[in-house]
Amino acid sequence: MKKIGMLYGQEDTFPQAFADRVNRINPPGIFAEAVTIDKVLQGADSGYAVIVDRISQDVPFYRAFLKNAALAGTAVINNPFWWSADDKFFNNALAQQIGVQVPRTALLPSNALPDNTSDKSFRNLIYPFDWNTIFDYVGFPAYMKPYNGGGWRNVFRVEDKEDFFRLHKETGQLVMMLQEEIDFSQYYRCYCIGGTAVRIMHYDPRNAPHQRYQAQFNGSPALMEQIRQQVIQLNQYLGYDFNTVEVAVRSEVPYAIDFCNPAPDADLHAIGEENFEWVVETSARYAIERAIAQKPGKDNLTWGAFIRRSPATRKKANTTKAAPKAKKTASEKKS
């Protein structure tokens, strides 16, 4: 018997609905339940073929438990090793590398010194920082947000330089990003499950939280398909099994705004009944697929294309991109 476990915290609607759906589908030799833990011994099997992780970003004990479980063969959704290493600034740089449009973004040092550091810890930084180049690159108005945050916490709209310095003082030890504002005409939040299944949801971040999914935009079929393909590309490259991508559309060009959401909101009352049904059904069937494919004691994690590329392949790709084939001169053509 293979078990699919749901690891979660304060959520109420999605975890139980997910487990109920797996058990209603009733795949032979597979059932779902809430994960239970009474001890964690190094290298020990967790007892689960698959664990869907909805909480370890907030609980370091759970993150360590999941890594240990993965080592023993559990297919963890999402890969806890990659999720531990990833951040929103890296996401943006990677998206830019693979041709997905993203806002211009700069990384900022924390305003306050981190604990257990001093000025000598930052001898490699030049003070003052080159703020003018950053401001010229990003432009105003802009958004300042944590480089690895979520849930719209500590996000500021910045009007100008004076506003930036005032607000940056309020961020303390947080490492922030300054990001170009995309003045959008359409906005979508897109679920991606299993790297292939996409649900494009109309979403307006300017609305109150309980009204954000009530938006309606008139995107063309061509634009929807472009968004779908970019969502798949990003998730397959990053290696996320369960993620959302937020897309802002400006002048019919989709910009990926935020796509590091490996425990995205799946509450029935937030995303609505139709979206909730899609998430429950799609994630349940995907987890069943992973349970069927799971091999005890093996690596059953999803690794994205960025990680799977060998150093040699990466070097060749970068060399090709940096040095395109030169055009022949008139004399060369004659010869």
Side-chain angles (χ1 to χ4, degrees), residues 7-60:
L7 186 67
Y8 63 101
Q10 300 181 49
E11 291 183 280
D12 290 320
T13 58
F14 174 62
Q16 189 61 54
F18 168 87
D20 290 345
R21 186 62 54 89
V22 170
N23 296 332
R24 186 189 308 169
I25 295 170
N26 194 26
I30 296 172
F31 75 97
E33 65 177 19
V35 171
T36 57
I37 307 167
D38 65 358
K39 59 183 174 297
V40 181
L41 305 180
Q42 61 186 28
D45 193 320
S46 69
Y48 293 92
V50 175
I51 294 177
V52 180
D53 172 24
R54 301 284 296 167
I55 187 61
S56 76
Q57 73 277 8
D58 295 326
V59 183

Side-chain angles (χ1 to χ4, degrees), residues 154-170:
N154 300 297
V155 176
F156 303 92
R157 188 174 188 272
V158 183
E159 297 290 344
D160 51 33
K161 295 180 182 180
E162 291 72 24
D163 201 27
F164 168 82
F165 289 117
R166 178 182 63 82
L167 291 170
H168 194 227
K169 288 180 180 178
E170 299 179 14

